[in-house]
Amino acid sequence: MPRPAVNVAVRAARAAGNVILRYMNRIDGLNVVEKQRMDFASEVDKLAEAEIVKELRRAYPTHAILAEESGATGKGPLQWVIDPLDGTHNYLRGIPHFSVSIALLDKGEPVYAVVFDPLRDELFTASKGDGAYLNDRRIRVSKRENLGGAMIATGFPYRQREHLDSQLAMTRALLGQAEDIRRSGSAALDLAYVAAGRYDGYFEIGLKPWDMAAGVLLVREAAGRYCDFAGRDGIPASGNIVAGNLHVAQAMVDAIGAQATPALLKA
């Protein structure tokens, strides 16, 4: 049975999803701001985030919150980490691939997670020690034993284009062994797809906590692994992440590590 905190996060994610879908046919009229170079947010991001925060505050008024649009509020060991619309670039272009991501961290460790795809009505949930689920069906990472035939997901970081040469070198190294690489535009969904065995692995440079907090718990509870480019387990402070089953994650670390610069291998 889902834990109470997951039920609250599910209600919050569905409320945000309703906002996101309500404005889909009005994208051309949305107020869009460029937070920094090539990093956009719309009023939908803010409205969806407000719905999430309202639900969380109602149930857990003392918990801290870290949200992509409104930043950090409150203090304490329990912190909700929120991305109200992961895949804003896709959404603003009418590309049907985006999600809502909500996680609860206890002293920095993810313990509950929800990633919701409102278009497909796919709800990925996880609780620490209880496994990962897609619409109440248990999910697990793929059984692939190496990069041969693997389907890998990635993203190209618009915040850190100074690492573009390394990113391309890593991609080339992986493509030499894997079947193919996908770049879909929602880190939360990429990690959820790894947990569900749709992708065999995932890597990206420079993610923020709200991009990966929920997704990494899904991967771990689906019997997978996440680490940084040097193979250090846990949520990487650098934001440079690798995820997959145990075999594929290690193979990716080996391939990526040979191409990454010292800066990308730092903790």
Side-chain angles (χ1 to χ4, degrees), residues 1-2 7 14 123-125 132-139:
M1 294 292 293
N7 289 330
R14 289 195 178 279
L123 184 69
F124 299 86
T125 60
Y133 296 82
L134 167 55
N135 293 346
D136 300 320
R137 175 179 60 83
R138 185 73 178 263
I139 55 176

Side-chain angles (χ1 to χ4, degrees), residues 230-247:
R232 291 177 286 254
D233 290 320
I235 297 178
S238 64
N240 304 331
I241 191 168
V242 171
N245 70 31
L246 301 184
H247 300 294

